[in-house]
Amino acid sequence: MKNIALKIKKGVGFNWEMACVYIFYALAFFLPLFFLPLAVKPVAFAKSFLFYFATSLAFIFWLFSQLQKGRIKFLKSGLIFSAGGVAAAWLISSIFSLNPSLSFFGAGYEIGTFAFFAFLGISLFLVSMLFQDEKRAAIFYLALTFSSFLVFLLQVFHTVFKISILPSSIFSSATGNTIGSWNDFAVFFGLIALSALCFLELANLGKLLKALFYGVVIMSLLAMLAVNFLIAWIIFGFFVLVLFVYLFYSSLRAGFSAGASRKDFVSPKIIRPSFFILILVLFFIFARGWLGDFTNVLNTGATEVRPSWGITADVVWQSLKENPALGSGPNTFLYDWLKYKPASINGTMFWGARFVSGIGHLPSMVATAGILGAAALLIFLFFVISYGAKILSYGKSGFKKMLMITSFLGSLYLLLFTIFYSPGFLIFALAFLLLGILAGILAEAGTLKTVEISFMDKPKAGFVSVLLIFLIIIGVVFSLSVMFRQYHAERYYTKAVETLSAGGNLGKAEVDMGKAALIGKQDVYFRELSKINLAEISQILSQQGVSKDVLRSRFQNALGAAIANAQKAAGLNPIDILNWMQLGAVYESVIPFKVPGAGELAINSYKKALAVSPLDPSPFLAMARVSLASGDTKAARNYIKSSLGIKGDFAPAYFLLSQVEAKDGNLKEAVRAAEQTALIAPNDTGALFQLGVLNYRVKNYSRAQAVFNRIISLSPDNSNANYFLGLIYDKLGAKQKAIGVFEKIEKMNPGNEEVKLILENLRSGKPALSGISSNSAASSEGERGSAEKK
C-alpha cells in the first residue's frame, strides 16, 4: 500500500506550487524593471498591473495545489491575520466612501485602494506559505539583486551617457527611471545595499559571492548618491546602525561566553563592512550640501513637494471630524486636501497643487480610512515589530537567521518610508513580499505554527470549503478581467492624447477617447472627451462652404456630446472640482449663442465646484466670466471680489476686473487693475498686452510704449505688440521708428493690406491711420486685443 501511494503521488501532473514559486521569482526580477508605454503613470500603472496579475495567477495556482492535495494550510500568524484586518477595514471604509468606485479599485494604479491592500495581503500570505525554504528565499534575493544591476545599468546609460535605451517619450528627463519617482530610486537602492550588507555580515559566503555583494553595495551607494535624498540617507543610516549594534552586541555576548574569566575575554569586532558604511553615510548626510554639486553635474537635482506634518495633521483632523470612524474613503486624500487645505497655502506657488498624499502615505490614510483603518494599521505595524523579537529569541545562527534579519530589516526599512514619505507602488509591494519571506522562514524554523484543514475529514464542511475556493477563484479571475480592461482603456487614452499632442485629427482622438471611456468608465476619460467635443465646436464654427443646416446639426451634436460627457464625468466623481469646472465651461462656451439657460447652468456647475474645493479662487472667477458674458458687470465685480478674497494675488482675477471696468467705461480703474495683473505676472504677455492697450486708449503713450517694448523683449515676433508700438511712435512723432516697426510687421505678415496702407501714410508724412475709417481701426485694434487675450 505504501508503494502504491508513493506511485500515485509521483504520478501527479503539473506542480501548481512550484509554478507559484517561479511566478514570485519572476516578479522579484521584473517588477523593478517593468513599465508600459502609457500617457499617464507609465511606471506606476505597469508595476501595479504586473503585481496584481502575478499575485492573482499565483493565488489561483496555489488554490489548485490545495485542491489537488485535498487540504488547505495556512500559518497561525498575527502578522498575516492583521494584514487581513487592514484589508477588511479598507473594505468597510470603501463601502461607505464618498466615492466607492474610486475607493475599491480606482484607476488601478493608485496606492491606498481596497484592491491595493487586498492584493498586498494575498501576496504576503502566498509568499509566507511558499517560501518556507532557505534556498527559495535566497533565490528571491538573488533575482532582486540581478534586477537591480540592470536597473542601475539602464540608469547609467540614460543619465550619464545620454543613451536612450528607455523610450524618450516617457523617460524624457535625466531622472526618469523604471522604479518610480527619483526619490523612490534612492529608496530602492537603499534596500538593495542593506540586503547586500546583511549577506556580507551574516552569511558565510565564498570569495565570488563576497565580491558580488561588495559590488552591489558600492553600486547602490552610487545610485543613492546620484539622488542625494536626505530622508533616504537618514533611514538607511539608522538601519545600518541597528545592524552594526546587533553584530557588536552578538560579538560581545559571544566574547563573554567564550572566556571563562576576564583575561580570556574575546574583544568584539568593530572594524567591519557595516562600520565603514555607517561612517560613509554620516559623511554623505553632513556633506549633503557639497554633494549637491554632484547632482548638478548629472542634472539629477529634483525636489518633491509635500504638505508638512502640521498641515497633514490639520487635514486629517478636519476629515475625521466629518467622518471619524471610517474616514472619507480609501484613495480620497486628494479631495480631503481640496476641501480642508489651509488658507495660507493660497499665498504660495502651490496653491493649485493636487496632493494625493500628505507628508507620508500612512499618516494620510488616517483621513481616508478613519479610526478603524488607523487601528488596523497600528495592529499590523505592532506585529511587524514583534517579529523582530521572535528573531532575537531564535537562538541559532547561520543562513536561516541571516534571512530572517535581512527580511525583517528590509521590510521595516521600506515601511518607515510609508510614514515619513509617500513612495510609489514598488516600495509597498517589496515591503509585503519581504514580510512574507520573513514569516515563511520563521515558520520553517518552527517559530510560527501551521494550521491544516482537510477537505476529506468532514464531507459537508469539505464541500463548503471547496465551493468557497472555487468562488474565490472566480472572484480572482474577475479581478484579472478588470485589470485587463483598465489596461486597454489606458492604451486608448494614450492614443488619444498622442493624437491631440501631435495636432492630429480630432475625430480620431474622439474615437479613441470614447473607447477608453466606454471600457474604463473613469471620470478623466469622459472629462477629456468633453474637451475634445468643445474643440470640435470651435472647428465647426470656423468651417466654410457648408450649409447652415448642416453646421447647425453638427453644432448641436457636438454640444450635446460635450454636455453629456461632462455630466457623466461629474456623475462618476462628483467630489472632483475638475469635473464640475468642465461642465461649467461647456455651458459657458455657448452663452454667446444665446442658448436659453446656459448662463444659469454654468453658474450652478461652478457653485458645485466651489462646494468641493472652497479655497479655490477659480470657480468664483469662472462665475465672473459668465456674468460678464451675460452683461451683468455688477455681479461680475462681486464674483471677482470673492475670488480675490480667497487668493489676493490671483492675477487672472485682476485681468478680468480690468476688462469689466473697461466695459463700463472706467478706464482709469481698468488701468489700475491691469497694472496689478502685470505686477503679479510680469512675464504674462496677455496681461501686459491688455495693460498696453488700456494705456494707449487713455493716451498714456509713454507707459504704453514701455509695456509693448517689454512684450517684444519677451516675444520679439509678437505682431500685435509691434502694431501698437508702431502706432505709439506715430503719435509721438517718431515717424522713422514707426516705419521701421511696420516694415518688420509687413515681413511677418506679407499681403496684409492694412499694414501696406499704414506704411504708405507714414512714408508720405500722414498719420498712420489716415484714410482708415475709425470704425475699421477700432475693429482692428479690438480684434488684436481679443486675439492676444486668447
Side-chain angles (χ1 to χ4, degrees):
M1 289 294 292
K2 187 176 180 181
N3 291 337
I4 293 171
L6 286 172
K7 287 178 182 177
I8 291 171
K9 190 173 180 181
K10 288 181 180 179
V12 172
F14 186 74
N15 191 330
W16 297 102
E17 187 172 298
M18 276 310 299
C20 295
V21 173
Y22 285 121
I23 286 172
F24 282 107
Y25 288 159
L27 191 62
F29 181 79
F30 287 109
L31 196 58
L33 291 162
F34 193 58
F35 65 90
L36 291 168
L38 300 172
V40 177
K41 305 284 184 182
V43 174
F45 189 94
K47 296 196 185 309
S48 61
F49 178 82
L50 178 63
F51 182 80
Y52 291 159
F53 175 75
T55 303
S56 299
L57 200 61
F59 194 31
I60 292 170
F61 285 5
W62 183 81
L63 289 171
F64 278 135
S65 75
Q66 302 306 293
L67 287 172
Q68 193 178 60
K69 294 172 184 176
R71 50 99 176 121
I72 189 166
K73 292 173 70 176
F74 57 89
L75 291 180
K76 192 177 180 181
S77 163
L79 178 66
I80 294 171
F81 290 140
S82 64
V86 172
W90 254 248
L91 174 62
I92 296 169
S93 181
S94 296
I95 292 170
F96 297 96
S97 170
L98 296 174
N99 189 334
S101 66
L102 198 67
S103 296
F104 274 107
F105 194 78
Y109 57 80
E110 298 99 331
I111 286 171
T113 61
F114 163 69
F116 172 79
F117 277 111
F119 276 96
L120 286 180
I122 292 169
S123 68
L124 167 57
F125 169 76
L126 289 175
V127 172
S128 71
M129 297 305 300
L130 296 167
F131 283 77
Q132 297 176 17
D133 179 274
E134 295 174 33
K135 184 180 177 182
R136 290 181 182 180
I139 293 172
F140 182 94
Y141 275 105
L142 284 175
L144 188 61
T145 301
F146 285 122
S147 177
S148 71
F149 270 121
L150 286 178
V151 170
F152 184 79
L153 283 175
L154 284 172
Q155 204 61 42
V156 168
F157 281 115
H158 178 69
T159 302
V160 179
F161 299 114
K162 314 297 181 188
I163 298 173
S164 298
I165 295 175
L166 303 172
S168 58
S169 58
I170 299 173
F171 305 99
S172 54
S173 69
T175 58
N177 65 91
T178 64
I179 298 299
S181 72
W182 191 229
N183 287 341
D184 281 4
F185 187 80
V187 175
F188 171 74
F189 275 100
L191 169 69
I192 299 301
L194 184 61
S195 302
L197 193 57
C198 288
F199 272 76
L200 284 169
E201 292 280 27
L202 297 165
N204 187 17
L205 303 174
K207 289 184 178 179
L208 187 61
L209 281 176
K210 273 191 176 181
L212 170 70
F213 283 112
Y214 273 118
V216 169
V217 171
I218 293 168
M219 172 194 75
S220 300
L221 290 176
L222 287 174
M224 293 181 72
L225 195 60
V227 182
N228 201 20
F229 181 32
L230 181 60
I231 295 175
W233 283 127
I234 292 172
I235 294 178
F236 174 70
F238 172 75
F239 279 91
V240 173
L241 175 63
V242 169
L243 177 62
F244 173 74
V245 169
Y246 168 78
L247 293 167
F248 181 84
Y249 177 71
S250 299
S251 181
L252 191 65
R253 284 190 63 187
F256 272 115
S257 62
S261 63
R262 278 189 178 274
K263 72 175 188 177
D264 297 322
F265 171 70
V266 179
S267 178
K269 184 179 179 183
I270 295 178
I271 306 303
R272 56 195 321 139
S274 55
F275 176 78
F276 285 111
I277 298 300
L278 184 60
I279 298 300
L280 267 177
V281 170
L282 289 172
F283 170 75
F284 290 150
I285 290 173
F286 291 111
R288 188 166 172 268
W290 172 75
L291 292 172
D293 295 334
F294 179 68
T295 59
N296 290 336
V297 170
L298 293 175
N299 195 27
T300 56
T303 303
E304 286 187 22
V305 179
R306 293 169 291 139
S308 65
W309 275 104
I311 292 175
T312 301
D314 188 51
V315 172
V316 169
W317 175 247
Q318 294 298 327
S319 177
L320 288 180
K321 282 203 297 186
E322 190 166 330
N323 305 286
L326 301 175
S328 57
N331 194 30
T332 60
F333 183 85
L334 166 62
Y335 309 110
D336 290 333
W337 169 259
L338 294 176
K339 195 171 183 180
Y340 303 121
K341 67 180 181 180
S344 58
I345 290 292
N346 281 343
T348 71
M349 68 175 68
F350 307 110
W351 68 271
R354 289 166 62 87
F355 292 110
V356 297
S357 176
I359 189 71
H361 278 306
L362 294 195
S364 306
M365 287 173 183
V366 178
T368 59
I371 295 170
L372 178 66
L377 287 172
L378 285 173
I379 293 168
F380 174 73
L381 291 174
F382 167 78
F383 278 108
V384 171
I385 294 169
S386 71
Y387 275 33
K390 290 182 183 292
I391 295 169
L392 290 175
S393 64
Y394 182 72
K396 299 176 184 178
S397 59
F399 197 70
K400 189 174 293 175
K401 190 161 187 177
M402 183 277 297
L403 288 170
M404 292 179 191
I405 293 171
T406 303
S407 302
F408 174 72
L409 292 181
S411 58
L412 195 57
Y413 163 84
L414 295 175
L415 287 173
L416 266 186
F417 281 99
T418 68
I419 298 173
F420 296 101
Y421 175 58
S422 298
F425 191 96
L426 178 67
I427 305 305
F428 268 98
L430 288 176
F432 275 72
L433 291 173
L434 294 187
L435 284 173
I437 289 177
L438 172 61
I441 299 300
L442 284 170
E444 186 195 15
T447 306
L448 296 178
K449 303 302 179 185
T450 302
V451 177
E452 182 175 318
I453 300 174
S454 174
F455 303 144
M456 305 306 167
D457 293 343
K458 297 179 181 179
K460 289 182 181 179
F463 172 78
V464 172
S465 300
V466 172
L467 178 62
L468 283 174
I469 287 175
F470 274 105
L471 288 175
I472 292 170
I473 290 171
I474 292 169
V476 173
V477 171
F478 173 75
S479 299
L480 280 172
S481 71
V482 171
M483 284 182 278
F484 277 100
R485 191 170 69 236
Q486 194 58 44
Y487 168 67
H488 283 296
E490 283 292 319
R491 280 184 59 246
Y492 283 119
Y493 177 70
T494 298
K495 285 183 180 180
V497 169
E498 288 174 347
T499 300
L500 292 171
S501 300
N505 187 285
L506 280 178
K508 184 178 182 304
E510 182 184 15
V511 169
D512 287 331
M513 194 67 77
K515 289 178 180 177
L518 183 66
I519 297 169
K521 291 182 172 55
Q522 296 288 319
D523 62 311
V524 63
Y525 302 150
F526 286 100
R527 188 171 66 238
E528 294 304 315
L529 193 54
S530 179
K531 290 178 181 179
I532 293 172
N533 297 143
L534 277 185
E536 286 176 331
I537 289 174
S538 299
Q539 201 175 70
I540 288 166
L541 294 174
S542 64
Q543 287 179 350
Q544 301 291 330
V546 182
S547 70
K548 289 184 178 180
D549 289 339
V550 172
L551 285 176
R552 186 182 298 109
S553 175
R554 290 177 182 174
F555 175 84
Q556 289 173 346
N557 290 338
L559 176 60
I563 294 171
N565 287 319
Q567 287 175 336
K568 186 69 174 176
L572 284 169
N573 192 3
I575 55 176
D576 195 331
I577 181 178
L578 297 181
N579 295 328
W580 293 113
M581 291 297 288
Q582 177 59 25
L583 182 57
V586 174
Y587 290 129
E588 183 184 347
S589 70
V590 295
I591 291 175
F593 304 106
K594 311 297 181 184
V595 175
E600 185 180 349
L601 289 168
I603 292 286
N604 289 338
S605 297
Y606 291 136
K607 284 181 178 178
K608 289 178 180 177
L610 190 65
V612 297
S613 186
L615 286 176
D616 192 326
S618 304
F620 274 127
L621 182 65
M623 287 186 259
R625 283 199 314 268
V626 172
S627 299
L628 180 60
S630 303
D632 189 349
T633 54
K634 182 179 178 181
R637 278 194 193 86
N638 289 334
Y639 285 131
I640 290 170
K641 184 178 179 181
S642 297
S643 181
L644 291 171
I646 293 173
K647 181 173 170 58
D649 60 349
F650 195 37
Y654 284 108
F655 185 87
L656 187 62
L657 181 60
S658 70
Q659 292 179 325
V660 172
E661 298 295 357
K663 185 170 184 177
D664 278 353
N666 304 323
L667 292 184
K668 287 186 178 179
E669 293 299 321
V671 170
R672 187 175 289 113
E675 289 283 5
Q676 189 68 32
T677 310
L679 186 65
I680 298 168
N683 295 326
D684 186 331
T685 56
L688 289 171
F689 186 82
Q690 179 154 301
L691 176 61
V693 170
L694 287 169
N695 275 289
Y696 177 82
R697 289 177 64 185
V698 298
K699 297 182 169 39
N700 188 352
Y701 297 128
S702 59
R703 176 59 178 149
Q705 178 185 346
V707 172
F708 288 122
N709 275 323
R710 169 66 178 160
I711 295 171
I712 292 166
S713 71
L714 294 170
S715 178
D717 295 332
N718 189 310
S719 296
N720 295 332
N722 278 286
Y723 177 89
F724 276 98
L725 183 62
L727 293 182
I728 290 168
Y729 282 142
D730 177 46
K731 296 287 186 182
L732 296 175
K735 295 287 185 183
Q736 289 305 312
K737 286 186 177 181
I739 290 170
V741 170
F742 278 103
E743 285 177 345
K744 177 183 175 183
I745 296 171
E746 187 179 33
K747 290 178 182 177
M748 291 187 288
N749 302 274
N752 188 300
E753 294 300 325
E754 183 183 333
V755 173
K756 288 181 179 179
L757 182 56
I758 289 172
L759 280 171
E760 287 179 12
N761 288 335
L762 291 172
R763 285 165 182 159
S764 61
K766 297 177 184 178
L769 299 177
S770 179
I772 300 174
S773 68
S774 58
N775 288 339
S776 175
S779 174
S780 176
E781 291 173 10
E783 287 171 4
R784 292 176 189 279
S786 176
E788 191 65 33
K789 289 165 199 170
K790 290 177 184 178

